[in-house]
């Protein structure tokens, strides 16, 4: 570890600092050296607990080019020190070997162990790989750190910082260059050139914007947001396509229904819940008396807050609860908001029953379904 | 403990090390959410293996049990009273759900009847159910195994009808004003099936027209699968989604790594 | 040099072309101060490297398409189910690629760790004042990394197109839609029309594997270059001044420790990746707009925004033919905008109030800046309340409380608790300062009782050892060159409470202390930027550091 620097290398730092041109290396990293801060409260500069000799190697410190000098230790008992180092070495080598063994085991497990989820005991495949990988990585990591801690020794190296700003004359020179360049290019004088360049440059910067336009089909944007696939006379069908008939639902039942169109069950704005409660418990909103059938009422599943499906229906209280932000609606009272961040009731779908006893929609929702947006009419 | 079920139900015993390492990962997270698992420590009902005796015998025995244990609240003739609702027409299934899950008999008035250890044996529950079912009819259990269904269909139906309250893996969830959808892991197939049939408390009913018996069986099979079958990829952290994952990365991940920085930073 | 080794040959070859020796020598000699808390940022760096490694692996198998397919892999409960290509390929990674699940889970855990370690690192930098001049820019870059990291995480966990991430995207669409005037346009632009459309997963994929990683990589590069150039800050200690760095050299000690730490971080993530399940998408199921799971939450780093959304009252403006949903805008757009702006601007805000515009390379102890520490604790409590609110339904179901009660409690707590935390933290800081001052004035009780001639008994005290004095006073009394002037200027953030000792007090043995560490401080201070002797130390004078004992 001891590497006595070559004093003839480049002279002391002081010499270099006093040279007319400040050398960049003088202040930027080449000048590390070890401190000898070894007073009573600060003895631990050396990992082995040995105190540094006072006032030593002043000459060595000033040598910037050589590897910073580590102080010559004066171990209390060299044999003991070496024994300790040997012990540490064995431990570290053990960690490295454990890592090696894990890598080998990893290969074996990876290629030979059953890994498909359907095979017996396969839930151990991933954990086993993880443990082996953990040991393989951790062995190297822990070993390297222990190496640094136990064998490289603790060092206290002092490095000077360079001043952060440039000297004023440097700044002035740079500014001068910039101004001179601008003058040379006649940027200030030829205002026509400057202005037309600004104009065209600005326009050029805008050129890519139209290219983004086709990311989205904006035609019928407002109509798309405000309407769903529900139409007058359309049957209410379940996810598997079976239509819902009056009498299917018991008291306190809920069914998720979709418009009877191809792909209706995957439409994001169409899901509707059909709830049946005691007709006496249901209080229709004024003007919507004929929107429900015998205690059957249909609301949009899509929360008016941020669009999560609100279908947590409590059949005793008729509360509807959103699992995303806890908005609570009252299904027995026009789905008005009882609690939470939602500002509007869930839209209600007007329903009736066709000649065969199946539920049909009286038409589309009377208001846009789902979260609010700027163009939404109040 | 719920996280134990993933390993204990496999045929060959889990290796001690793996089980311990699994625990180690979540130990801190568990400590924080301490009360969590005690809430789930409800007893598993014994595997239902009821042998139906003579129907009338069962009704008679059930009536005896009812008069002793239930009539104080529900009335001598199931007509109900100040303490409890009428049981006429609720059906066998309602009795099986309520009694087998330990919710009945109910002792203290809470927002919601808590799941407890069942007070009656399966045979007694069947007798009670036969008695209650004999008066006014109502839903009853179908013949055959209750989890004899198609797993894929069950999964889809579960996500459509059940996951919104009971969570994607049946771990349960909150409802309004202190009510909750309980975790499904302690429930037997009978309890799961009858819950769908009868819609206890806040839960909506699912009639056989909405979900056919086959569909209910499929859902029951899927619930048993997600709550009892082992899952790959290590400890399931209670299956509450990203929140316990966040706890683990802070308590275990950051905790371990800060510990390591302290070790690296400390002098040898 | 008679026998050239191959490595030497290569080095010479390179040096002859690039002149790299000078750079290498200076780099290897770079000094890094030793403190455990300086390694927190490294966790983020290493997580990012691990994210790049595992992420690249995942791209080999992932198919970012919303095209519908029928699943036919080995996970039985989803066999025959119609799902998007993205979801099917994620199932494939989890069940049919050997070790794929491990890689997926390591990737996800690494993402959580990346952001968690950024936050921890941010707290370290904040509470120690490491963001002050000249490091404000790096603070801003760090804030940028936090924001881009959050976006990257969101884009990433949205890719599998499972039920949970689809719910998250539905919410994201709602947030975009809520922005006045342009909201619906931007929503259509991002999603290619109405939600959910058929393009969002593919677009997020480009964003997730190309756009944002590149941005993060660039920001990290600048972050590191600036640390390299400006050198690391350090805590006060013997021989440590505003003008030097005391620690271990980059090579060999620091690089060995840092390199070892990389493997340790990777090991922790590998263990988590196989022992703790994360994002079990096979349980969530494929996305379906009519389905949802109870307790739908985002990953933890988005949690505070989810919490703010849950706590927000339902205010909405409706009129003049338009709707402005403040219940969405305030908690998800305006609040994070304000929070991140304040965070990024904090160095300038503090400098404005303290009038401290000097250079700072020595770190503060949090207790010595009660106002800043109080503000930080206050912000942290605000953030934690929002985070708790993000899990209010889970708290409710686990402890069987009412969600509504918890929400109201947190709504009130959000405004009451942070000021309380501020006051309490400041009090604690001042109390700690006080006890420090006591120690400094009276020394350590020695346990030796002495009787004075007057008959009075006193306990002898021993002067506090110098390193502890330095820790308390924040500077080495013998080494106080005050190179950058305002460094020690009066400082409104707590200096009025700081230990204000007469300078001579710090001299342990009563001898007049040397004026200056490297040079005579009493000499007129040079103008900033003057390079020669004024700023550069004179190494020979280091002898002065030895205090008389």
């Amino acid at each position: 570890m001891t590497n006595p620097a070559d004093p003839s290398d480049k002279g002391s730092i002081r010499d270099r600092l006093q040279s007319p041109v400040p050398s960049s290396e003088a202040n930027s990293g080449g000048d590390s050296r070890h401190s000898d801060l070894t007073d009573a409260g600060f003895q631990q500069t050396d990992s082995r607990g040995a105190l540094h000799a006072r006032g030593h190697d002043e000459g060595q410190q000033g040598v910037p080019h050589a590897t910073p000098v580590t102080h010559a230790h004066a171990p209390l008992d060299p044999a003991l020190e070496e024994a300790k180092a040997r012990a540490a070495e064995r431990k570290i080598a053990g960690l490295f070997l454990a890592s090696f063994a894990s890598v080998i085991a990893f290969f074996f497990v990876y290629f030979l162990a059953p890994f498909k989820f359907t095979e017996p005991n396969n839930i151990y495949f991933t954990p086993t790989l993880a443990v082996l990988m953990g040991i393989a990585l951790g062995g190297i990591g822990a070993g390297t750190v222990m190496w640094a801690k136990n064998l490289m020794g603790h060092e206290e190296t002092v490095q000077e910082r360079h001043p952060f700003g440039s000297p004023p004359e440097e700044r002035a020179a740079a500014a001068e260059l910039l101004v001179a360049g601008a003058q040379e290019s006649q940027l200030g004088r030829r205002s026509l050139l400057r202005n037309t360049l600004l104009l065209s440059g600005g326009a050029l910067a805008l050129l890519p914007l139209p290219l983004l336009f086709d990311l989205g089909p904006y035609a019928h944007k407002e109509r798309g947001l405000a309407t769903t696939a529900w139409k007058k006379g359309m049957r209410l069908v379940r996810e598997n396509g079976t239509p819902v008939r009056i009498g299917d639902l018991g008291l306190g039942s809920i069914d998720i229904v979709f418009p009877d169109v191809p792909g209706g069950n995957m439409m994001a704005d169409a899901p509707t819940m059909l709830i049946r409660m005691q007709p006496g418990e249901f209080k229709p909103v004024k003007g919507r008396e004929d929107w429900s059938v015998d205690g059957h009422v249909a609301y949009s599943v899509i929360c008016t807050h941020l669009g999560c499906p609100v279908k947590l229906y409590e059949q005793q209280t008729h509360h509807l609860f959103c699992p995303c932000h806890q908005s609570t609606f009252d299904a027995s009272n026009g789905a008005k908001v009882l609690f939470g961040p939602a500002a509007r009731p869930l839209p209600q779908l007007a329903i009736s029953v066709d000649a065969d006893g199946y539920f049909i929609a009286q038409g589309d929702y009377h208001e846009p379904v789902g979260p609010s947006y700027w163009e939404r009419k109040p | 403990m719920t996280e134990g079920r993933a390993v204990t139900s496999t045929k060959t015993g889990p290796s001690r090390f793996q089980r311990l390492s699994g625990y180690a990962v979540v130990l801190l997270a568990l400590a924080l959410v301490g009360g969590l698992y005690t809430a789930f420590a409800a007893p598993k009902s014994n595997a239902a293996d009821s042998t139906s005796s003579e129907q009338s015998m069962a009704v008679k025995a059930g009536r005896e049990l009812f008069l002793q244990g239930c009539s104080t609240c529900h009335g001598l003739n199931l007509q109900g009273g100040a303490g409890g609702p009428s049981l006429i027409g609720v059906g066998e299934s309602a009795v099986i759900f309520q009694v087998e899950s330990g919710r009945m008999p109910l002792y203290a008035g809470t927002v919601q009847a808590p799941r407890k250890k069942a007070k009656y044996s399966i045979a007694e529950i069947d007798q009670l159910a036969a008695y209650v079912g004999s008066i006014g009819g109502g839903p009853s259990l179908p013949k055959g195994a209750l989890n004899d269904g198609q797993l894929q269909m069950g999964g889809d139906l579960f996500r459509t009808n059940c996951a919104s309250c009971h969570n994607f893996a049946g771990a349960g969830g909150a409802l309004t004003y202190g009510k909750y959808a309980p975790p499904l892991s302690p429930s037997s197939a009978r309890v799961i099936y009858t819950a769908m049939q009868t819609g206890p408390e806040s839960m909506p009913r699912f009639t056989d027209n909405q979900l056919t018996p086959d569909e209910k069986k499929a859902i029951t099979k899927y619930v048993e699968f997600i709550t009892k079958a082992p899952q790959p990829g290590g400890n399931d952290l209670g299956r509450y989604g990203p929140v316990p994952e966040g706890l683990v990365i802070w308590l275990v991940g950051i905790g371990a790594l800060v510990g390591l920085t302290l070790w690296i930073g400390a002098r040898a | 040099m008679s026998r050239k080794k191959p490595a030497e040959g290569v080095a010479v070859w390179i040096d002859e072309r690039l002149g790299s020796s000078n750079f290498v020598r200076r780099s290897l000699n770079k000094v890094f101060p030793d403190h455990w808390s300086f390694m927190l940022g490294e966790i983020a760096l290493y997580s990012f490297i691990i994210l790049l490694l595992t992420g690249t692996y995942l791209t080999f198998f992932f198919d970012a398409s919303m095209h519908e397919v029928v699943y036919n892999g080995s996970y039985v409960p989803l066999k025959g189910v119609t799902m998007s290509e993205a979801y099917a390929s994620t199932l494939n990674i989890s069940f049919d690629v050997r070790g794929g699940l491990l890689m997926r889970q390591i990737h996800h855990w690494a993402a959580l760790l990346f952001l968690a370690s950024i936050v921890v690192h941010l707290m370290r930098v904040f509470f120690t004042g490491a963001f002050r001049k000249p490091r404000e820019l790096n603070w801003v870059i760090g804030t940028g990394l936090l924001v881009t990291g959050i976006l990257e995480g969101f884009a990433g966990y949205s890719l599998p197109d499972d039920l949970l991430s689809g719910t998250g995207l539905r919410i994201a669409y709602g947030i975009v839609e809520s922005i006045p005037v342009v909201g619906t346009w931007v929503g259509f632009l991002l999603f290619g029309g109405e939600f959910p459309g058929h393009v969002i997963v593919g677009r997020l994929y480009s964003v997730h594997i190309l756009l944002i990683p590149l941005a993060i990589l660039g920001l990290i590069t600048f972050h590191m270059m600036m640390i390299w150039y400006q050198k690391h800050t350090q805590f006060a200690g013997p021989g440590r001044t505003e003008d030097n760095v005391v620690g271990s050299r980059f090579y060999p000690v620091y690089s060995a420790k840092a390199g070892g730490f990389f493997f340790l971080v990777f090991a922790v993530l590998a263990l988590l990746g196989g022992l703790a399940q994360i994002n079990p998408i096979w349980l969530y199921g494929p996305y379906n707009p009519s389905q949802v799971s109870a307790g739908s939450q985002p990953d933890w780093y988005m949690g505070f925004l989810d919490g703010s959304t849950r706590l927000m009252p339902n205010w909405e403006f409706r009129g003049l033919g338009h709707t402005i949903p403040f219940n969405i805008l305030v908690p998800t757009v305006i609040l994070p905008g304000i929070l991140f702006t304040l965070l990024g601007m904090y160095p300038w805000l503090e400098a404005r109030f303290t009038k401290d515009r000097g250079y700072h390379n020595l770190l503060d102890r949090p207790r010595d800046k009660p106002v800043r520490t109080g503000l930080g604790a206050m912000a942290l409590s605000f953030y934690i309340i929002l985070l708790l609110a993000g899990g209010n339904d889970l708290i409710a179901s686990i402890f069987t409380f009412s969600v509504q009660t918890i929400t109201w409690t947190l709504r009130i707590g959000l405004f009451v608790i942070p000021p309380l935390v501020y006051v309490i933290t400041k009090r604690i800081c001042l109390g700690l300062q006080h006890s420090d001052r006591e120690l400094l004035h009276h020394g350590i009780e020695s346990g030796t009782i002495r009787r004075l001639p007057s008959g009075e008994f006193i306990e002898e005290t021993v002067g506090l050892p110098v390193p502890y004095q330095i820790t308390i006073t924040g500077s080495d009394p013998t080494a106080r060159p005050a190179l950058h002037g305002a460094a020690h200027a009066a400082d409104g953030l707590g200096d009025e409470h700081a230990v204000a000792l007469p300078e001579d007090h710090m001299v342990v043995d009563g001898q007049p202390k040397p004026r200056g560490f490297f040079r005579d401080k009493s000499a007129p201070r040079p103008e900033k930027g003057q390079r020669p002797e004024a700023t550069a130390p004179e190494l020979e004078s280091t002898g002065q550091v030895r205090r008389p004992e």
Side-chain angles (χ1 to χ4, degrees):
Chain A
M1 284 166 91
T2 305
N3 179 9
D6 181 358
S8 68
D9 194 359
K10 220 184 172 183
S12 73
I13 277 193
R14 168 176 264 183
D15 292 343
R16 289 192 297 134
L17 293 176
Q18 285 176 342
S19 66
V21 184
S23 135
S24 66
E25 42 185 46
N27 292 316
S28 57
D31 48 1
S32 308
R33 77 211 135 68
H34 283 262
S35 77
D36 49 356
L37 309 165
T38 56
D39 61 2
F42 200 61
Q43 294 176 353
Q44 291 167 315
T45 45
D46 170 29
S47 64
R48 293 164 205 196
L51 277 165
H52 298 314
R54 286 280 168 80
H56 67 300
D57 62 25
E58 292 272 311
Q60 290 178 0
Q61 289 179 354
V63 182
H65 267 202
T67 307
V69 183
T70 309
H71 301 295
H73 299 298
L76 297 171
D77 180 354
L80 192 69
E81 289 292 298
E82 184 53 26
K84 271 189 192 164
R86 281 270 167 83
E89 189 182 3
R90 276 194 296 274
K91 259 192 233 164
I92 295 161
L95 283 169
F96 288 162
L97 285 177
S99 169
F100 172 75
S102 296
V103 172
I104 302 297
F106 186 94
F107 289 156
F108 272 97
V109 172
Y110 188 88
F111 287 112
L112 300 179
F115 85 98
K116 288 274 170 115
F117 184 54
T118 43
E119 289 168 30
N121 283 340
N122 49 21
I123 61 161
Y124 298 124
F125 182 75
T126 304
T128 311
L129 284 188
V131 169
L132 293 172
M133 195 170 161
I135 299 173
L137 291 160
I140 298 252
T144 314
V145 170
M146 279 175 69
W147 189 344
K149 279 167 64 103
N150 294 311
L151 295 174
M152 293 184 194
H154 179 73
E155 63 174 51
E156 284 279 355
T157 310
V158 180
Q159 183 171 37
E160 300 309 320
R161 291 179 192 276
H162 52 82
F164 289 101
S166 312
E169 53 270 30
E170 189 85 37
R171 281 182 207 161
E176 211 170 288
L177 267 178
L178 279 171
V179 173
Q183 277 170 353
E184 213 169 301
S185 66
Q186 305 184 354
L187 193 71
R189 226 151 52 81
R190 309 265 174 205
S191 57
L192 179 66
L193 277 183
R194 187 192 61 205
N195 293 344
T196 47
L197 177 65
L198 279 178
L199 178 74
S200 60
L204 190 64
L206 294 176
L207 181 92
L209 282 186
L211 293 174
L212 293 175
F213 190 80
D214 261 2
L215 284 173
Y218 305 102
H220 319 303
K221 175 165 70 76
E222 259 79 324
R223 203 171 63 198
L225 288 170
T227 60
T228 72
W230 288 104
K231 292 216 164 47
K232 188 174 165 57
M234 192 176 275
R235 277 185 180 169
L236 280 58
V237 299
R238 298 193 182 90
E239 198 182 11
N240 58 11
T242 55
V244 185
R245 203 176 174 146
I246 193 151
D248 278 0
L249 274 69
L251 283 172
S253 287
I254 176 173
D255 228 338
I256 307 302
V257 292
F258 304 87
D260 189 11
V261 290
N265 62 358
M266 285 305 281
M267 288 173 173
D269 54 1
T272 300
M273 56 193 149
L274 183 63
I275 295 170
R276 182 179 173 192
M277 60 185 88
Q278 291 277 11
E281 288 180 308
F282 178 63
K283 298 181 281 293
V285 176
K286 247 184 140 187
R288 298 184 184 173
E289 287 83 359
D290 59 345
W291 284 21
S292 55
V293 181
D294 190 28
H296 291 80
V297 57
Y299 296 109
S300 167
V301 161
I302 307 303
C303 188
T304 54
H305 177 226
L306 277 168
C308 288
V310 188
K311 45 183 203 171
L312 289 74
Y313 170 60
E314 296 174 5
Q315 60 125 330
Q316 288 177 324
T317 55
H318 308 299
H319 289 165
L320 289 160
F321 183 64
C322 177
C324 291
H325 304 107
Q326 287 81 50
S327 295
T328 309
F329 305 86
D330 185 356
S332 67
N333 192 8
K336 76 167 202 212
V337 181
L338 294 176
F339 183 82
R344 287 177 289 108
L346 297 169
Q348 187 179 349
L349 186 71
I351 51 168
S352 57
V353 175
D354 67 8
D356 300 325
Y358 290 106
F359 285 105
I360 52 167
Q362 291 184 23
D364 196 1
Y365 283 101
H366 290 251
E367 54 182 316
V369 160
S372 302
Y373 52 91
W374 172 251
E375 295 91 342
R376 191 183 188 280
K377 301 278 176 283
Chain B
M1 301 273 283
T2 38
E3 84 279 17
R5 71 181 176 248
V7 283
T8 48
S9 54
T10 53
K11 272 180 219 156
T12 57
S15 92
R16 185 183 166 77
F17 173 72
Q18 279 168 3
R19 199 178 54 213
L20 287 181
S21 57
Y23 281 123
V25 171
V26 283
L27 203 65
L28 274 167
L30 286 183
L32 201 93
V33 291
L36 190 147
Y37 290 108
T38 49
F40 298 155
K44 276 181 193 154
S45 44
N46 306 323
D49 186 23
S50 65
T51 53
S52 55
S53 56
E54 192 79 34
Q55 192 63 21
S56 56
M57 292 270 288
V59 171
K60 225 171 143 189
R63 184 174 155 72
E64 288 303 309
L65 288 168
F66 183 87
L67 290 175
Q68 280 169 26
C70 318
S71 58
T72 320
C73 299
H74 293 289
L76 292 173
N77 296 307
L78 284 73
Q79 79 278 17
S86 160
L87 298 184
I88 295 167
V90 298
E92 293 178 14
S93 296
V95 178
I96 292 172
F97 174 84
Q98 298 289 353
V99 184
E100 192 170 326
S101 73
R103 287 181 170 80
M104 289 295 143
L106 183 67
Y107 297 118
T110 45
V111 180
Q112 195 166 323
R115 178 188 268 141
K116 296 189 294 286
K117 190 170 161 49
K119 196 163 174 276
Y120 295 91
S121 71
I122 295 291
E124 287 171 331
I125 292 167
D126 285 341
Q127 290 166 352
L128 268 174
Y131 168 64
V132 173
S134 71
I135 298 171
S140 61
L141 281 178
K143 295 268 178 296
L146 294 176
N147 57 3
D148 180 21
Q150 204 209 353
L151 204 51
Q152 294 82 357
M153 181 171 80
D156 196 41
L157 290 168
F158 179 85
R159 287 188 290 275
T160 298
N161 295 298
C162 318
S164 50
C165 297
H166 290 285
N167 144 316
F168 60 91
L175 295 173
T176 66
Y177 302 100
K179 297 186 284 298
Y180 57 91
L184 303 178
S185 45
S187 305
S188 67
R190 276 155 59 102
V191 169
I192 294 164
Y193 193 97
T194 51
M196 288 186 271
Q197 279 184 309
T198 58
E201 301 194 74
S202 293
M203 180 167 163
R205 279 172 69 193
F206 294 91
T207 64
D208 282 356
N209 290 327
Q210 289 175 270
L211 290 173
T212 64
D214 279 348
E215 288 174 332
K216 288 199 181 85
K217 286 177 181 174
I219 291 176
T220 309
K221 186 181 175 77
Y222 185 73
V223 170
E224 290 203 323
F225 175 82
I226 53 172
T227 53
K228 298 189 172 65
Q231 293 287 329
N235 191 289
D236 63 20
L237 309 180
R239 297 187 185 166
Y240 288 105
V243 170
E245 292 164 7
L247 275 177
V248 166
I249 201 63
W250 276 97
L251 298 175
V252 180
I254 291 289
L257 288 168
V258 166
L260 285 169
T261 61
L262 286 167
W263 173 61
I264 296 172
R267 288 170 187 173
Chain C
M1 290 215 181
S2 52
R3 259 183 330 124
K4 265 191 174 178
K5 288 175 193 161
E8 200 178 325
V10 172
V12 169
W13 192 92
I14 294 172
D15 187 60
E16 280 171 356
R17 281 148 187 85
L18 299 171
S20 50
S21 291
N22 180 284
F23 173 76
V24 168
R25 177 186 56 75
R26 285 194 287 130
S27 302
L28 297 185
N29 272 342
K30 197 100 186 156
V31 168
F32 286 85
D34 263 337
H35 194 269
W36 65 270
S37 70
F38 298 164
M39 271 180 278
L40 298 172
E42 283 176 34
I43 304 177
L45 176 67
Y46 301 151
S47 315
F48 183 70
I49 294 169
I50 294 161
L51 282 167
L52 290 182
L53 293 173
T54 50
T56 306
Y57 179 84
L58 294 176
T59 60
F60 298 153
F61 301 99
F62 181 68
D63 188 351
S65 155
M66 292 172 91
H67 181 72
E68 285 198 341
V69 291
V70 174
Y71 179 68
N72 196 25
S74 40
Y75 184 66
V76 176
L78 287 171
K79 252 189 189 155
V81 173
T82 306
M83 57 183 66
S84 68
E85 200 100 61
Y87 186 72
S89 60
T90 314
L91 286 177
N92 185 48
I93 292 171
S94 306
F95 291 105
D96 294 290
V97 174
R98 253 174 217 277
L101 181 59
L102 179 63
M103 286 295 123
R104 236 198 82 217
Q105 297 202 129
I106 292 178
H107 190 72
H108 205 132
W109 281 119
L112 298 196
L113 183 65
F114 178 62
L115 283 149
S117 53
I118 286 180
V119 171
V120 179
H121 175 58
L122 181 149
M123 292 197 287
R124 198 280 295 171
V125 169
F126 181 88
F127 287 114
T128 59
F131 55 82
R132 292 171 298 172
K133 189 176 176 184
R135 295 182 178 77
E136 306 98 318
L137 262 182
N138 236 8
W139 171 266
V140 174
I141 289 179
T143 311
L145 276 167
L146 178 61
V147 176
T148 44
I150 290 173
L151 292 175
E152 175 73 343
F154 178 79
Y157 77 66
S158 295
L159 289 179
D161 201 22
D162 58 281
L163 186 53
L164 186 64
S165 74
T167 307
L169 280 175
R170 182 69 191 89
I171 293 171
Y173 191 85
I175 292 170
V176 171
E177 245 185 334
S178 76
I179 300 168
V181 188
V182 296
T184 52
W185 292 92
V186 177
F188 268 58
L189 185 138
L190 294 175
F191 284 73
E194 269 188 273
F195 180 83
H198 298 284
V199 296
I200 185 65
V201 168
R203 288 180 183 175
L204 280 177
Y205 192 53
S206 305
V207 169
H208 179 75
I209 68 165
L210 188 70
L211 209 58
I212 306 186
L214 215 58
I216 292 181
L217 198 62
L219 288 174
I220 287 181
T221 309
F222 277 121
H223 204 70
M224 306 290 292
M225 280 166 62
M226 249 188 263
I227 294 168
W228 203 259
Y229 177 74
Q230 295 182 329
K231 298 198 177 75
H232 209 285
T233 50
Q234 61 188 350
F235 284 104
R240 300 183 188 180
T241 70
E242 291 282 359
D243 302 322
N244 67 10
V245 192
V246 179
S248 36
R249 288 160 298 156
F250 180 74
Y251 180 80
V253 177
Y254 181 81
S255 53
K257 285 183 176 178
F261 191 43
F262 167 76
F263 284 98
L264 289 172
V265 173
F266 208 161
V268 168
L269 283 174
L271 289 173
L272 276 175
L275 298 177
Q277 207 180 65
I278 188 166
N279 201 23
I281 50 129
W282 56 91
L283 289 174
Y284 296 148
Y287 181 61
N288 178 326
S290 70
Q291 296 176 348
V292 72
S293 166
S296 286
Q297 273 106 359
D299 277 6
W300 79 263
Y301 42 85
M302 300 284 287
F304 77 107
L305 291 180
D306 203 40
S308 63
T309 314
R310 290 171 184 215
L311 294 188
M312 184 69 195
N314 61 347
W315 300 338
E316 184 170 271
F317 171 81
R318 286 189 290 271
L320 310 172
H322 292 290
T323 306
I324 305 176
F326 290 112
N327 54 350
I328 305 172
L329 270 180
V330 171
T332 62
V333 181
I334 296 173
L335 177 88
I338 292 174
L339 287 185
F340 286 120
T341 309
L342 279 180
L343 186 67
M345 281 169 51
Y346 186 81
W348 289 277
L349 293 176
E350 185 181 301
R352 192 186 167 83
F353 283 103
T354 59
K355 309 270 187 299
D356 173 6
R357 303 191 194 278
Y359 285 99
H360 293 281
N361 294 317
L362 283 180
L363 295 172
D364 291 323
R365 284 196 313 164
R367 70 181 66 173
D368 291 334
K369 302 285 170 194
V371 176
R372 180 202 294 145
T373 306
L375 285 174
M378 182 172 97
L380 211 55
S381 65
F382 184 82
Y383 178 84
I384 288 171
I385 291 171
L386 291 182
L387 209 54
L388 281 178
N392 61 356
D393 54 337
L394 215 57
I395 300 172
S397 77
I398 289 168
F399 299 105
T400 57
F401 290 145
S402 157
V403 174
Q404 277 76 5
T405 312
I406 294 173
T407 304
W408 268 110
T409 311
L410 293 175
R411 275 176 182 171
I412 296 165
L414 191 64
F415 294 97
V416 175
I417 293 177
L420 277 179
V421 167
Y422 172 78
V423 173
I424 293 168
T425 311
K426 200 174 158 190
R427 282 278 126 214
I428 293 174
C429 288
L430 294 177
L432 288 170
Q433 279 185 18
H434 183 78
S435 68
D436 280 352
R437 197 158 46 219
E438 290 277 289
L439 265 181
L440 209 54
H441 276 294
H442 302 299
I444 305 165
E445 289 164 0
S446 66
T448 312
I449 309 287
R450 199 151 56 91
R451 189 177 181 182
L452 296 181
S454 60
E456 185 190 354
F457 288 94
I458 59 156
E459 182 176 7
E460 285 191 340
T461 56
V462 182
L464 201 59
V466 174
Y468 294 99
Q469 287 189 24
I470 294 168
T471 303
I472 289 173
T473 57
S475 65
D476 187 340
T478 59
R480 201 187 209 190
L483 177 66
H484 300 299
H488 301 283
D491 160 348
L493 279 184
D495 260 7
E496 75 263 37
H497 305 294
V499 188
L501 288 165
E503 289 198 327
D504 285 346
H505 187 89
M506 295 184 221
V507 180
V508 182
D509 63 349
Q511 296 284 318
K513 73 186 178 73
R515 302 282 289 161
F517 185 11
F518 293 120
R519 75 196 124 65
D520 193 354
K521 199 184 135 202
S522 48
R525 209 169 59 74
E527 281 302 303
K528 246 183 270 171
Q530 264 183 9
R531 208 168 263 250
E533 295 92 341
T535 56
E538 300 186 13
L539 300 173
E540 283 79 0
S541 63
T542 45
Q544 291 183 24
V545 77
R546 266 173 245 117
R547 285 166 211 84
E549 281 164 67

